[in-house]
Amino acid sequence: MTVDVYVARIRRALLRPAQPVPPGLYVRLAAGLTIAEMLVYAVQKVYMAARGEVGMPGHPAPDSVQAQFEHAAFAQAANASLGVGAALVASATVTRWGSRIPRWTLLCALALTLLMQSLGAAITLRRTDFDLAHLGQSAVFETLSAGVQIAAWLVVAMSYYVRTGRPRVQFTDGSALVPTCRAQAVAAYVAFVCALAYGAMKLDWALGGEFLIRQTPLPRAARDDLLERPAGVVMQHWLSVALALVGMAAAVHLSGRFRPHAKVRRWVLLIGSWAGCAFMVARAVGVLGYGFVNDVRLLAGLVSVPPAAMDLARFQARWDLLLWSPYWLLFGVCWGVAAWHYRRQGHADSSHSSHRSQPAGAPLMDQPGPG
């Protein structure tokens, strides 16, 4: 083939409209939530641009930060334009005009927008006071707002990726199809998000951050090591980041987006998934120390704790009961559900392949011959 043919093929592949599958109700609600949130953000930035200040309405930046911006109005106007652009990106995933945009273009825009939203939510959470004993309404609202914001953007981005990709159906022969169960895909994507959140937190710790370190249910000595950051602890953080990346890749494979692997690789994936499921569920229940059962027993006064450690133990138990144990339970259950359906999908695919390998009209070995 000539160079012109290659150029024409590349051009056709890059400019081909995405034409996604129409979104469902929940996806439309998530997209509407992200659009409304970004438009509100744009209006807030326009208001701050009119005032010539940096920050948000009711929460202007300190004077030391204000002095760093010679033209604060222009900076806030640029932020407002980014908010409008993000709203247009979210709208393009669920509207007819957006279906004409090439898939790779909108996926890149979604990835960039999701990254910026995650950074903004992380900044919001890091400046929030998480003292559960004196938790104010402002802290609760900021935390819930940041969490809902990230969840909505994840739904929009993942839905668009799925709706514009190849069908989750594996063709094994001309008459048999092995579809991916919806529960399998949802569980795998939730596990992917949980692994992403865990990896992002460990990356923050590896780079010197302290997001949720003090709220981690660990003995005092172990928590002090996390705060002092010796070389061994930092290395553990980086290993955890690598483990989270492996978990994200495994979750993508468990979603059914690919054909089942060869038998050995399938069983390696399944064994790792089942082991992770058992560990996480055991951690959430309380078999490994902290967990629902032990948290309730400690808060109810059924566990003897030295008076000097009582405040720290109750503080950690409240956080574990409200955040860590539900997180590990959700993570583990999703691993189990995705692995169970992935295993059944592989069995169905093997069954269809064996039927396909039998030549049409060939006699079976156990059939009696004539006479």
Side-chain angles (χ1 to χ4, degrees):
M1 291 185 293
T2 63
V3 176
D4 294 338
V5 175
Y6 281 113
V7 170
R9 287 189 175 185
I10 294 174
R11 183 182 302 171
R12 185 165 57 249
L14 293 178
L15 300 180
R16 180 185 302 156
Q19 296 180 346
V21 176
L25 176 62
Y26 294 113
V27 176
R28 290 185 179 276
L29 289 177
L33 184 62
T34 57
I35 294 171
E37 178 243 333
M38 296 314 302
L39 292 179
V40 169
Y41 171 82
V43 170
Q44 291 175 331
K45 288 301 181 180
V46 169
Y47 173 78
M48 296 302 292
R51 293 175 57 91
E53 296 179 345
V54 177
M56 298 295 287
H59 300 280
D63 294 338
S64 58
V65 178
Q66 300 282 357
Q68 299 176 8
F69 292 86
E70 184 177 358
H71 303 286
F74 291 139
Q76 296 294 63
N79 289 333
S81 64
L82 290 177
V84 175
L88 291 175
V89 169
S91 175
T93 63
V94 294
T95 54
R96 183 173 298 178
W97 66 268
S99 63
R100 302 184 180 94
I101 300 176
R103 181 175 187 256
W104 68 272
T105 304
L106 201 50
L107 282 177
C108 291
L110 281 170
L112 180 60
T113 305
L114 184 59
L115 176 62
M116 299 304 296
Q117 292 297 314
S118 300
L119 292 176
I123 293 173
T124 300
L125 292 176
R126 291 189 65 172
R127 71 187 182 191
T128 302
D129 185 10
F130 286 111
D131 186 3
L132 290 181
H134 307 88
L135 197 60
Q137 295 182 356
S138 176
V140 174
F141 174 77
E142 290 182 355
T143 303
L144 291 178
S145 176
V148 171
Q149 167 187 337
I150 295 300
W153 275 106
L154 283 173
V155 169
V156 171
M158 289 187 175
S159 168
Y160 183 80
Y161 174 79
V162 172
R163 290 185 293 113
T164 56
R166 291 176 297 177
R168 291 196 307 271
V169 174
Q170 296 177 359
F171 293 87
T172 55
D173 58 25
S175 59
L177 300 177
V178 183
T180 298
C181 177
R182 180 180 296 273
Q184 174 186 356
V186 172
Y189 290 141
V190 173
F192 177 89
V193 173
C194 291
L196 175 63
Y198 179 80
M201 183 185 70
K202 288 294 185 176
L203 179 62
D204 178 71
W205 293 3
L207 296 177
E210 298 181 0
F211 179 63
L212 292 178
I213 281 186
R214 291 179 173 80
Q215 291 76 26
T216 303
L218 290 172
R220 187 183 298 273
R223 192 182 65 165
D224 291 342
D225 286 341
L226 291 179
L227 294 173
E228 294 172 2
R229 304 186 70 251
V233 173
V234 175
M235 180 61 66
Q236 292 177 8
H237 293 335
W238 285 111
L239 291 177
S240 298
V241 172
L243 183 62
L245 294 175
V246 173
M248 292 164 60
V252 171
H253 284 284
L254 288 177
S255 67
R257 296 291 298 175
F258 306 96
R259 288 186 63 86
H261 294 80
K263 189 173 183 179
V264 175
R265 287 182 292 173
R266 275 191 70 250
W267 279 106
V268 169
L269 181 60
L270 287 173
I271 290 173
S273 300
W274 287 121
C277 170
F279 171 80
M280 294 173 188
V281 172
R283 162 62 180 83
V285 173
V287 178
L288 304 178
Y290 280 95
F292 288 115
V293 175
N294 295 323
D295 293 337
V296 172
R297 292 178 66 240
L298 191 148
L299 294 175
L302 302 178
V303 179
S304 60
V305 179
M310 177 59 72
D311 292 339
L312 177 61
R314 294 181 66 87
F315 173 79
Q316 292 181 343
R318 284 193 294 265
W319 269 101
D320 188 73
L321 186 63
L322 296 177
L323 175 63
W324 299 111
S325 290
Y327 165 80
W328 289 116
L329 181 62
L330 175 65
F331 203 174
V333 169
C334 288
W335 273 122
V337 171
W340 173 261
H341 287 287
Y342 183 82
R343 174 176 173 270
R344 296 185 61 187
Q345 180 188 28
H347 284 176
D349 186 75
S350 300
S351 173
H352 289 305
S353 298
S354 63
H355 286 304
R356 180 181 56 184
S357 62
Q358 180 71 26
L364 299 177
M365 295 299 296
D366 58 350
Q367 284 183 339

